[in-house]
Structure formats: C-alpha cells, structure tokens
Amino acid sequence: MRPAGELEGTVTVQGAKNSALKLMAATLLAEGEYLLRRVPRINDVEIMAELLTSMGVAVHRAADGTLVVRRGADCLPEAPYELVERMRASIVVLGPLLARFGRARVAMPGGDNFGSRPIDMHLRGLEALGASFSFSHGIIDARADLLRGTKVVLDFPSVGATENLLLAAVLAKGTTVIDNAAREPEIADLAAFLNSMGATVGGAGSATIVVEGVEELTPADHEVIPDRIEAATYLAAVGMAGGEIVLAGARADHMDMLIHKLGAMGVRVSETSEGLWAARPGRRRLTAVDIATLPYPGVATDYKPLLVTMLSTADGVGVVTENVFAANRYAYVAELQRMGADISLASHHAVVRGVARLSGAPVKAPDIRAGAALVVAGLVAEGETVVSGAHHIDRGYEDMAGKLAALGADVRRA
Ligand code: UD1
C-alpha cells in the first residue's frame, strides 16, 4: 500500500469475532437448529465451524449470510489438537461439552505469539462446579457426573474463564455466582444468547454474574453484536490518515473509553443514528497521550497495537502500559521501528516518541491486531509498505483491504 491522503466514506462494521466464536460453542448445549446473524466471514469462524463439524454438528451459511448451525442428537465431545492449536479460543467448548455430555476430551492449548496463556482459571472454576480433570499426551480428559452451582471468585476477570463457566453453569443444578467476572460486551452478548435459549443468567456485563441452572435449553435466533475492535481499526485509520468516515453499525456504548482517548488525541468521534462518525480535520498532528490497557471497561489490550501506531506519528511522547497480558505482547514494535517509529520498551511499558513521518518498508504481521495496525501505519508511511503474513489479519478481519480501498486508501491484497 501507499499513502493516498485522507479517507472518506462509509464502512459497515462486521459482527464481533470474539462473540461469534463463543455463540457457536454455545450451540453444543442443545439439540436443534440455530440461526446466527452477522457472523463475520473470517478464518477464525471457519476454524470454529470445522471444530463443530468434527464433533458432528452441521454448519453452513444461508444465502442471506446467516450462519445456520444444526446440532443433532449425536455429538463427539472432543476437540483435537490440530484445531485447538490453530485457535486457542477453541478451549471455550470445554464448559458446554461438560455441561451437556458430562465428559470432554479437549487438547491443551499451547503457547502462541503472545507467549503462554494459561487456562488454570477455567479449570479451577469448572472444578468448583464438580468437574474433574486428568491430563495425558497433551489432552485434558474432563468428567462431571453432575455439575452443581456454587460461588466462583476469579483471580482476574478473564474473558475466556468467565465464558467457559457461564457455558457450564447454565445447565448446572442450582445457582452459580461468578464473581470478579469479565465485563466485556461479548460476555453480555453470550448471556443474552443463552437467555434466549431458555437459560437464566443475570448480571452479565457486571462483575457478578448469577446463573440459575435449568434442566434443558432450546436453540435460538440471534444477531451478533458489532466488532468493537474492527471499528477501532478504522477509527485508527482515519486518525492516522485524516478525513471523515462513518462506521455503520458500530456501537459507541461499547467503546466509551477508547472514544475518550481518541478525543484527547485529536480524533473527533460522535454517535449517529447509523453508528459512529469520525474525523480528523486539517493537517494537525495527533496529540500524544498515555494509555494503560485494562479489562473492560478499560482500554482493551486488543486496541493497543493500533494506539501505539497512532502515537508513533503523534506530537509528543506517550507511555503505553500493558496490564492484561504478559510483557512480551510487543512483537510488532520491531516492525514499526523498521518503518522509522521511535519506541522503547521496558517490561510492561512502551515509550513512544512521535516522529514526523513513517517510511514504508516490508514488514511482517505477527498476529491479528498487530497485523492490522501495520496496515494502518502503511496508510501514512512514505512510499510503499508491504505487510506479509496477512493470513493473520484474515483470522479476524472481513476484507480489510477492500474496506480501506472503499474509503479511498491505496491498499491491495497481493
Ligand atoms: C480474550 C480475547 C482476546 C483479548 C482478551 C482480553 C477472544 C477469542 N479473545 O482472550 O482477544 O485480548 O480476551 O481482553 O475472545 N489468564 C490466566 N489464567 C486463565 C485465563 C487467563 O492466567 O485461566 C490470564 C491470561 O494469561 C491473561 C489474562 O488472564 O494475562 C486475560 O486473559 P483472558 O481475559 O482470559 O483472555 P482470553 O479469553 O484468552
């Protein structure tokens, strides 16, 4: 891609990857046909579909794009390594399989580009509900004759652990209380879906979730919430390149803290009947701010590569602190440095000194969000930027190059 000046136009925000994957896992809880609307056409959804298919669940797209999931009576409660290894979020099938079938064999997820990502909180929470686990040859063998509601206090508001527990608790006997639960909008979306299946989940979106177990659930029809991280990507793009765009379908109420930060940097964002309107007027540089990632409603760790990229050409110095994942989630910084960014790293912190301009270079996408951030950097870098490893971006983004091109950017997929 090459710089092509200001962006202008409308992009339609896809459904949230991090919600769609969990809703798909939730279909393991009850036999029948589900309709999931606005499921993004991305590779991670394909992997989750493959995983469900390998268990005996039928998944296809209807002509109007709706994902139709049909779970029959027979289901093989197993998640093989070759799929779990491709997508760690596969671990979220553990809770529903245990709840519905009383057993599951799920490969242990290994490390990923961010380093090790433990699942101890998932397992401890499920154990408290009555599950037991044994481990051999990299497989978790899980059993639960009966899941019984209880109070689980999480050490940290882990998104995945909250979801796995929620997905098990809906069919447990009695009341489960999940305390210090994750509050992300995707958790509230999962709870809304489960409630439309007949579950009784209260408090999702707050730190205390209360689940009254039911005997049985039935399939449902549900529209996935919009992807706040995809929306943030196009906000970062207009922040970097300037111009004026509309993000159709985006929800401001899921992005309060980010919108506040972007405002302080000089990006104007406001809510409209269609979604969000965003602009960076004139030739003024962005202003540097300090940023700390935190569980929701704090600034999401997934926004961080985008924000670091924006700070790399902002006026001033911004200190970015990672509080959600281990310190080594900064692989893309070396790539931004190749483009001329002035960033120094120390433990959980990145100190970003804004430079007047970036210069285009061949760079490598280390993961989904960092890959997208490098594309955003390329929108303003002088000369040509080639982002390799674009398959990482496809895991989470529906046609990123096409959407940016529709806004006037000079981007193409080789
Ligand atoms: C989800 C999102 C991911 C996002 C993250 C944090 C999906 C598919 N992925 O990941 O994009 O960056 O939330 O918002 O939805 N931890 C433990 N033990 C556990 C579980 C987690 O120590 O059992 C730690 C993790 O290592 C990490 C922190 O808790 O440091 C948060 O992880 P978690 O919220 O669980 O992230 P994911 O659900 O994996």
Side-chain angles (χ1 to χ4, degrees):
M1 83 208 72
R2 290 173 173 281
E6 299 192 347
L7 303 180
E8 202 191 317
T10 299
V11 282
T12 300
V13 177
Q14 69 187 39
K17 167 177 92 72
N18 289 352
S19 185
L21 297 173
K22 321 306 167 60
L23 302 180
M24 290 172 74
T27 65
L28 291 165
L29 287 166
E31 210 176 304
E33 186 176 278
Y34 299 78
L35 298 179
L36 296 177
R37 303 175 195 277
R38 195 158 57 178
V39 172
R41 292 177 188 272
I42 55 174
N43 283 353
D44 274 10
V45 162
E46 294 302 320
I47 296 172
M48 185 55 88
E50 264 183 66
L51 180 57
L52 292 178
T53 305
S54 76
M55 295 185 199
V57 179
V59 184
H60 77 272
R61 288 263 181 194
D64 68 353
T66 301
L67 199 75
V68 183
V69 181
R70 205 171 293 126
R71 179 155 97 63
D74 293 328
C75 181
L76 179 71
E78 290 189 10
Y81 179 65
E82 56 275 21
L83 293 171
V84 176
E85 182 258 338
R86 279 166 65 198
M87 188 179 68
R88 290 184 44 93
S90 308
I91 191 70
V92 80
V93 300
L94 183 59
L97 288 178
L98 266 175
R100 187 62 190 78
F101 303 101
R103 66 196 171 90
R105 280 170 56 80
V106 175
M108 284 279 282
D112 62 12
N113 294 348
F114 304 138
S116 90
R117 281 218 238 173
I119 53 163
D120 54 312
M121 281 188 259
H122 300 232
L123 301 183
R124 234 180 295 127
L126 292 169
E127 251 166 16
L129 292 181
S132 59
F133 302 102
S134 61
F135 305 88
S136 60
H137 310 292
I139 305 284
I140 307 168
D141 212 323
R143 305 254 151 195
D145 293 335
L146 177 71
L147 291 177
R148 245 181 224 291
T150 185
K151 179 168 176 168
V152 180
V153 184
L154 296 177
D155 292 356
F156 182 89
S158 152
V159 171
T162 303
E163 290 165 339
N164 243 333
L165 279 171
L166 187 52
L167 285 161
V170 285
L171 287 179
K173 204 169 169 51
T175 308
T176 303
V177 177
I178 309 172
D179 221 340
N180 199 21
R183 292 180 278 170
E184 272 69 3
E186 292 75 19
I187 305 274
D189 199 29
L190 176 60
F193 181 56
L194 292 168
N195 283 342
S196 64
M197 289 173 66
T200 313
V201 180
S206 81
T208 307
I209 300 178
V210 181
V211 186
E212 301 292 344
V214 296
E215 290 274 316
E216 210 178 1
L217 297 168
T218 49
D221 179 335
H222 185 82
E223 184 176 73
V224 181
I225 56 168
D227 197 312
R228 61 199 166 98
I229 309 166
E230 191 210 22
T233 306
Y234 296 105
L235 292 179
V238 76
M240 292 289 280
E244 185 175 331
I245 64 168
V246 171
L247 294 172
R251 279 187 57 173
D253 59 326
H254 290 170
M255 308 173 73
D256 282 335
M257 193 68 87
L258 179 75
I259 291 172
H260 173 73
K261 279 285 167 197
L262 293 179
M265 292 178 83
V267 185
R268 287 164 55 193
V269 183
S270 57
E271 200 171 355
T272 69
S273 56
E274 241 186 306
L276 283 179
W277 169 92
R280 183 169 67 80
R283 295 257 149 243
R284 252 204 8 248
R285 276 173 79 181
L286 292 169
T287 307
V289 294
D290 292 339
I291 290 158
T293 66
L294 281 169
Y296 192 84
V299 174
T301 182
D302 295 39
Y303 298 145
K304 193 182 56 180
L306 298 163
L307 292 165
V308 167
T309 300
M310 293 175 81
L311 288 173
S312 71
T313 58
D315 188 14
V317 181
V319 178
V320 181
T321 305
E322 172 64 59
N323 294 310
V324 176
F325 281 98
N328 58 356
R329 250 198 161 193
Y330 278 114
Y332 58 96
V333 163
E335 304 299 308
L336 285 174
Q337 285 164 338
R338 303 194 62 252
M339 298 177 75
D342 180 352
I343 303 170
S344 42
L345 296 177
S347 170
H348 284 66
H349 308 286
V351 179
V352 190
R353 291 184 176 77
V355 295
R357 56 184 49 85
L358 295 175
S359 86
V363 287
K364 226 186 251 164
D367 61 71
I368 306 178
R369 306 301 166 193
L374 291 170
V375 172
V376 169
L379 294 177
V380 297
E382 269 176 355
E384 190 173 79
T385 300
V386 177
V387 181
S388 61
H391 61 277
H392 286 295
I393 301 174
D394 299 334
R395 286 189 52 189
Y397 288 85
E398 238 176 43
D399 191 20
M400 184 182 189
K403 286 187 179 181
L404 283 171
L407 295 176
D410 183 356
V411 184
R412 69 183 169 82
R413 193 60 195 260

